[in-house]
Amino acid sequence: MSNDQQYDPYANGHGQQGPDVTQTWEGQTWDTQFQPVVQQQQPPVTYEAPYQDPYAQPAYEPAYEPSYDNTAYLPPQGAVAYEQPQQPQQPQQQPYAAAPAAPAAPVGYDTPVPEPVAEVAPAAPASAGYSSPTTSGNTRITDAQRARAEGRSPVIEPGFQPAALTAILGLLLAGGAAIGPYGLLVPLVLLQGLTAAGWFRLNGMWPARQGIALAFAGGLVADAALLATGREHAAAAILGTLGAWVLLCLVLQLRSHADPDERMYGLMAGVASAALTVVATGHLGAAPDAVVVGGIAVAATVVARALPLPGPVSLVVALLAGAGSGIAAGGLNDLGSSGALIGLAAGVCALVGLRVASYDYPSRFVHMTAGIALPLTAAAPAVYLLGRALA
């Protein structure tokens, strides 16, 4: 069949060609022999660092020579080594890939584990008198408790405020003595009350209402007995009252249901408190001029001692202040230069009383009671004896 002969598909009537007819095509056709290969677009390949199992043994590469800086962790002798197949080498090594983290030590190896360091709480400022209030039931820490916990000296000076109050009370005693016995009685009763309460608190016994009341009552009885008998019988009134109050303190402790050791400790504290309170009556039985000199000398001594000076220097300055104030006060009355001796003796006794009030980690309450009263109370015997001798 020629190329110019047109093929009629419906020539045979049924739309079928004969067997000897060769079908040819004219015009543009598609080449069925050529099949183009369609390539699928693949996402860009990114190389990431391989996952490192922290408990797996590192793979050893044959072409890699280990150095001392890059050697893998080797388990100690006797440890069980687990064999793992080598991982195939990556086709390309990324030069900018991050170095894998060092594998952690397996469990059971003798690898020292660093212990967590506990943070040390900052120390509380030394200027704070008490710690911050809490709601968990903890008590506040006083200066004495903090000093005891830190191992500091048990001697804590009262400071300038108790010294100023002691000076005021000493000047009141001096002014009351210049007025008369009843003018002296008011500051003396205040001094005896502070002495009775401060001594019990200094010994760690609080509350001790019966002991404080008994000691304070002893001072009042001694004052009344001295006023009734006069200054000529001051020694008898003081010693008689003291003996009677020692018996009363003994009876009070015998009626107590506390332990024997505690009763003995309470007896000693009660007797000492009563004795000091009664001895303070010596200001009422001494010569008025001596009381004036003694009160001023004690005031000057404790104020000089409270100044911020080194220990030995402060001690010398305090004694010189006591003697100098004694001379000055003696020049205002009939004692004259003898007032220096009374002032020096009163200053020494005041320093002893101040030292006692500073001992054994005293609290603020001790400073405001015993720290005020003990310097004047301790000076009472010296004022009484030297006043009678030099008047």
Side-chain angles (χ1 to χ4, degrees):
M1 189 175 187
S2 63
N3 293 334
D4 54 351
Q5 183 179 358
Q6 298 295 330
Y7 173 72
D8 188 4
Y10 303 100
N12 293 334
H14 297 285
Q16 295 182 355
Q17 296 178 356
D20 54 349
V21 177
T22 302
Q23 180 179 358
T24 59
W25 296 91
E26 292 182 0
Q28 296 180 356
T29 60
W30 290 275
D31 189 3
T32 58
Q33 299 295 330
F34 176 75
Q35 297 292 335
V37 178
V38 180
Q39 296 183 355
Q40 296 181 357
Q41 186 177 2
Q42 297 181 355
V45 180
T46 57
Y47 297 96
E48 298 180 356
Y51 172 76
Q52 296 291 336
D53 190 358
Y55 298 99
Q57 294 291 338
Y60 296 95
E61 298 180 359
Y64 175 72
E65 294 182 2
S67 62
Y68 290 99
D69 296 333
N70 298 326
T71 51
Y73 177 82
L74 297 179
Q77 297 295 332
V80 179
Y82 299 93
E83 297 182 358
Q84 291 189 2
Q86 290 187 347
Q87 297 179 359
Q89 188 175 1
Q90 298 291 339
Q92 289 183 354
Q93 235 178 357
Q94 194 170 356
Y96 52 85
V107 179
Y109 292 161
D110 299 333
T111 303
V113 179
E115 298 181 357
V117 180
E119 296 182 358
V120 181
S127 60
Y130 297 95
S131 62
S132 57
T134 60
T135 57
S136 58
N138 297 328
T139 57
R140 295 187 177 188
I141 299 178
T142 61
D143 291 338
Q145 293 173 345
R146 184 180 295 109
R148 185 181 291 109
E150 294 175 357
R152 289 185 286 166
S153 173
V155 177
I156 302 176
E157 298 292 337
F160 190 80
Q161 185 177 3
L165 294 176
T166 302
I168 293 174
L169 186 57
L171 294 177
L172 290 177
L173 287 173
I179 295 174
Y182 292 98
L184 179 61
L185 186 62
V186 175
L188 180 60
V189 170
L190 178 60
L191 174 64
Q192 289 172 333
L194 291 175
T195 302
W199 186 261
F200 274 95
R201 191 64 183 92
L202 182 63
N203 287 269
M205 303 181 65
W206 191 266
R209 300 182 182 89
Q210 293 181 353
I212 294 173
L214 183 62
F216 182 63
L220 295 180
V221 170
D223 296 340
L226 195 148
L227 290 175
T229 58
R231 287 193 178 95
E232 297 78 8
H233 305 285
I238 292 174
L239 293 177
T241 305
L242 182 59
W245 248 250
V246 169
L247 293 177
L248 289 178
C249 291
L250 181 60
V251 171
L252 178 63
Q253 294 302 323
L254 289 176
R255 295 180 66 253
S256 177
H257 299 285
D259 296 335
D261 295 339
E262 186 176 352
R263 283 188 292 178
M264 179 60 68
Y265 190 71
L267 176 63
M268 299 304 296
V271 170
S273 180
L276 290 172
T277 306
V278 173
V279 165
T281 311
H283 289 291
L284 189 61
D289 295 340
V291 176
V292 172
V293 173
I296 296 176
V298 171
T301 301
V302 295
V303 170
R305 182 62 173 168
L307 295 177
L309 298 174
V313 177
S314 177
L315 183 62
V316 173
V317 170
L319 293 177
L320 292 177
S325 60
I327 295 176
L332 300 176
N333 50 36
D334 297 336
L335 289 176
S337 60
S338 300
L341 182 59
I342 298 177
L344 182 61
V348 171
C349 294
L351 291 179
V352 173
L354 194 64
R355 179 72 174 186
V356 173
S358 306
Y359 188 68
D360 198 15
Y361 302 103
S363 62
R364 190 64 178 169
F365 186 85
V366 173
H367 285 165
M368 298 304 293
T369 53
I372 296 172
L374 286 184
L376 290 168
T377 301
V383 172
Y384 174 78
L385 295 175
L386 293 178
R388 291 180 63 89
L390 299 176

